[in-house]
Amino acid sequence: KALDGIPVEEREISSVTLAIDKAKLGQAKEMIVAFKRKLSKVLETENPDEIFTLAIQFFPVASPEKK
């Protein structure tokens, strides 16, 4: 399905770019996994009437310049 064929009320698309401390990368990944598990527990049902996909991407896009 083309994305523009899905009503705005039925989708959520957003992004954020973060400047991070790489030492906290493991913690961030754990938080993402925990969020997916929690969302699954809230939304999953034995009688679904819709199928959705959730895609989360977390990767470096640049390295800050070192002075």
Side-chain angles (χ1 to χ4, degrees), residues 28-66:
K29 291 171 67 174
E30 289 172 5
M31 291 174 71
I32 292 168
V33 169
F35 167 73
K36 292 189 303 183
R37 286 185 183 138
K38 184 175 181 179
L39 187 64
S40 291
K41 286 181 183 178
V42 169
L43 296 178
E44 286 183 342
T45 179
E46 290 185 22
N47 300 306
D49 57 2
E50 192 79 65
I51 304 294
F52 275 67
T53 188
L54 173 68
I56 299 172
Q57 301 175 22
F58 187 59
F59 55 90
V61 293
S63 295
E65 291 183 26
K66 304 230 179 200

Side-chain angles (χ1 to χ4, degrees), residues 13-26:
I13 300 171
S14 62
S15 67
V16 62
T17 301
L18 306 165
I20 71 163
D21 176 350
K22 196 170 181 179
K24 295 181 181 179
L25 182 59

